[in-house]
Each structure stands twice: as structure tokens, then as C-alpha cells.
Amino acid sequence: MDADLSPTPSRPPKTTNTTRRNWQLDVLLFVVFMLVSAPLTTGIPLHEWLGLVIFAPLFYHLVWHWKWVAGVFTRTSRKLPPHTIFAKWFNLALFFMMLLAGVSGLMISEALLPMLGWMVGPDNFWLTVHKASATLMMLLIGLHLALHWPWILQRLKRQPTGGTTR
Amino acid sequence: MSTRNAGLILLLATLITTLLILTLGSLPVADALRATPVAEGHTELEPQGLLRLAGLVKPLLFMGFSGGLTLLILKGSNSLSRMRKNRRS
């Protein structure tokens, strides 16, 4: 498999549409993530629904970058540059943290699960896990954005002209 | 690898990880935490008006902190390696 193994896409994409599609999905993912991370802003019912809904764009994000994912996980670490090895484990940790926050959130659900007829009581363990994983995820997302910052800046500069690309 | 296969692998990985996470709930440490009363739940989070926007401060602050720090480190390491390169040549 001829996969691009750099943390940021260094090779020009096949089409303008692919880049634009990725950009639009990433912006959507970021907006939903910001809202999910602010239950004080959205209120608990919307926080829980968005927490469930965010997994759809997240899965698309992963599937659309599957070439990279498959590339780094099917090669031995010795064949990968250090920054790619870091990106591999970092992104795995981010995925795990996202699931941890989601599952622990479901275990203390006050609106979503009761609405579906499944009552869950207050649980200090899952509440602690949920708060810790959500806070850690904010830090990890900041790092994730910083690692892709050159691409983000490039897209932000191109966006007003209709997203024409390299 | 097709998108369908990728989706299936991802779904399987999600299911296995979810099951692993759920087993965390039966660890002794979980029972110890459950024994302590719930100090703060989600129910009291009902701000009014502009106070609602305060909820965005924490994620912005945390993401800005880790992102800014990473960019600074990357910038520092880039200029360091450029200096080394210049010294060698």
C-alpha cells in the first residue's frame, strides 16, 4: 500500500473536491466538538445528543483518512519516521479518549437514555471518568490542531476564494 | 482497502474498546469511588442568558493552551535544527 505516512497530508490530493470535503467535515467536527465540550452553553439534553451525534463525523473523518491509518498500523515502527510514530500513538490515544468520554457520558446520562426508557442513576465513578477524559480530550484536540496547523492556515487563506487548491 | 472495510474495522475497534471501557466499571477502584457521595452532578448546570457563553471558555482555554504550547515547541525545535544545519555548513 502506498500510503502517505506524514502527520499532515504532504502530497497534493487527487482532487479539489476531496480537500474541500475534508475541510468541511473537519470544520463541522470542530464546531460540534466545541458545543459538546460546553454543556454550560448547550444545556444537558443537547450536550448528550451532540455527544452521540459527534461520532458520525468522527467516523467519517477516520474513514476518509483510512489510507494513513492503515499505512501506519500495518508497518513496523522501525520503517516509520519519528513524527509519524508519535502521530500514530497520539491519534490512537485521542480515539480512545473520545470513546471513554462518550461511554462514560452515556453511563451518567440524564436526558438521552431516560428518554429511551433506560434509567441510569448518578455514579461518581463514571462522572469522574467523564470529566477527566473530557478535559484531557480538550488538551489532545488542541495538540491535534497544532500538528495540522500549516494545513489549517492554508485552508483558511483559500476559503474566501471558493476553496481553490493546489 | 475499501471504505466499507475501513468502516467495519472501525466499528469493530469501537465495539471492543467500548466493552473494555465498560469493564472499568467493575474494578475495585470504581466501587471505592461509588462509595463516596456524588459531589457534583450535571443537573445544576442551568445557566441563564449570556452566562451560557461562559461554558465555551474552558474548551477554548484548554485547546488554546495545548495547541499554543505545541506550536511554540515545534517552532523552537525547527529553529534549533536550522541553526545546527547552518553551523554544519
Side-chain angles (χ1 to χ4, degrees):
Chain A
M1 187 190 299
D2 183 26
D4 179 6
L5 301 178
S6 61
T8 44
S10 60
R11 207 169 16 167
K14 282 174 190 167
T15 62
T16 308
N17 283 344
T18 312
T19 315
R20 196 182 299 157
R21 187 192 68 175
N22 282 340
W23 171 250
Q24 285 166 350
L25 181 78
D26 290 353
V27 170
L28 174 76
L29 199 51
F30 178 72
V31 171
V32 179
F33 176 75
M34 280 304 294
L35 289 173
V36 169
S37 305
L40 206 68
T41 304
T42 57
I44 291 303
L46 189 59
H47 167 73
E48 290 183 7
W49 278 106
L50 285 174
L52 190 71
V53 164
I54 199 172
F55 281 93
L58 175 72
F59 273 40
Y60 270 105
H61 178 82
L62 288 170
V63 167
W64 286 354
H65 293 89
W66 197 253
K67 204 174 173 185
W68 184 86
V69 177
V72 293
F73 282 99
T74 49
R75 287 173 198 208
T76 54
S77 292
R78 273 177 296 167
K79 288 180 182 172
L80 298 169
H83 65 272
T84 308
I85 298 171
F86 172 77
K88 166 184 167 177
W89 294 112
F90 168 76
N91 285 317
L92 193 68
L94 190 59
F95 176 70
F96 177 76
M97 211 49 71
M98 203 95 177
L99 274 180
L100 191 60
V103 172
S104 58
L106 271 181
M107 298 307 281
I108 52 165
S109 169
E110 289 169 9
L112 181 66
L113 288 188
M115 194 183 283
L116 302 172
W118 190 359
M119 301 302 287
V120 281
D123 188 322
N124 218 7
F125 171 69
W126 288 117
L127 185 66
T128 310
V129 170
H130 186 61
K131 283 182 176 177
S133 57
T135 305
L136 197 59
M137 210 168 59
M138 289 172 205
L139 293 170
L140 293 180
I141 291 283
L143 213 156
H144 186 72
L145 290 176
L147 291 176
H148 295 273
W149 196 242
W151 185 75
I152 294 169
L153 273 185
Q154 196 184 35
R155 291 307 305 173
L156 282 173
K157 283 174 189 165
R158 282 164 196 256
Q159 198 62 11
T161 57
T164 50
T165 192
R166 17 192 185 173
Chain B
M1 191 180 291
S2 72
T3 308
R4 193 168 156 265
N5 281 347
L8 282 174
I9 292 170
L10 202 58
L11 205 64
L12 197 67
T14 306
L15 279 174
I16 293 168
T17 316
T18 302
L19 287 175
L20 282 174
I21 290 169
L22 286 173
T23 57
L24 290 177
S26 50
L27 290 176
V29 68
D31 292 330
L33 261 172
R34 274 190 201 107
T36 59
V38 181
E40 194 189 335
H42 268 146
T43 27
E44 72 277 12
L45 296 173
E46 284 169 11
Q48 300 295 319
L50 278 176
L51 263 181
R52 276 178 171 266
L53 291 178
L56 289 167
V57 173
K58 188 187 170 184
L60 281 174
L61 215 66
F62 276 63
M63 283 164 59
F65 171 73
S66 66
L69 195 69
T70 310
L71 284 176
L72 272 176
I73 292 169
L74 285 176
K75 204 175 173 185
S77 78
N78 279 347
S79 44
L80 206 71
S81 61
R82 214 177 298 134
M83 266 171 59
R84 277 192 198 136
K85 215 175 185 180
N86 285 343
R87 217 178 287 162
R88 250 181 268 144
S89 62

